[in-house]
Amino acid sequence: ADGPASPGELALLCDTTRPNMSNHLACLRGCGLVEFERHGRRSTYRLASVEMGRALLQLGSIVHAECEVAAS
């Protein structure tokens, strides 16, 4: 949601391997949820729409609130 990122950058954020992240990104790309750009040898991915970013932020807020309720 913060802008384009490489598979390696996203893998670090998600505490996973680059190959694992690349596989997930390929799946999301196939579903039309992310877009791919190549910059020489570097590739970046970004969300396909602003609406997708908003939906992810809302979903994150819901999950966070539910976790807090469950922990109470």
Side-chain angles (χ1 to χ4, degrees):
D2 293 335
S6 70
E9 293 166 334
L10 294 169
L12 286 174
L13 288 172
C14 296
D15 193 29
T16 189
T17 64
R18 186 188 182 288
N20 187 34
M21 181 58 66
S22 291
N23 287 337
H24 285 288
L25 289 167
C27 179
L28 293 171
R29 183 178 175 201
C31 295
L33 300 177
V34 297
E35 296 176 345
F36 169 83
E37 280 188 35
R38 184 166 299 283
H39 308 276
R41 292 182 48 177
R42 184 169 192 248
S43 59
T44 58
Y45 288 81
R46 68 174 180 276
L47 294 174
S49 68
V50 173
E51 292 81 11
M52 180 60 63
R54 288 187 195 125
L56 287 172
L57 290 173
Q58 288 177 336
L59 181 59
S61 295
I62 292 168
V63 169
H64 180 73
E66 289 298 317
C67 288
E68 286 184 353
V69 168
S72 301

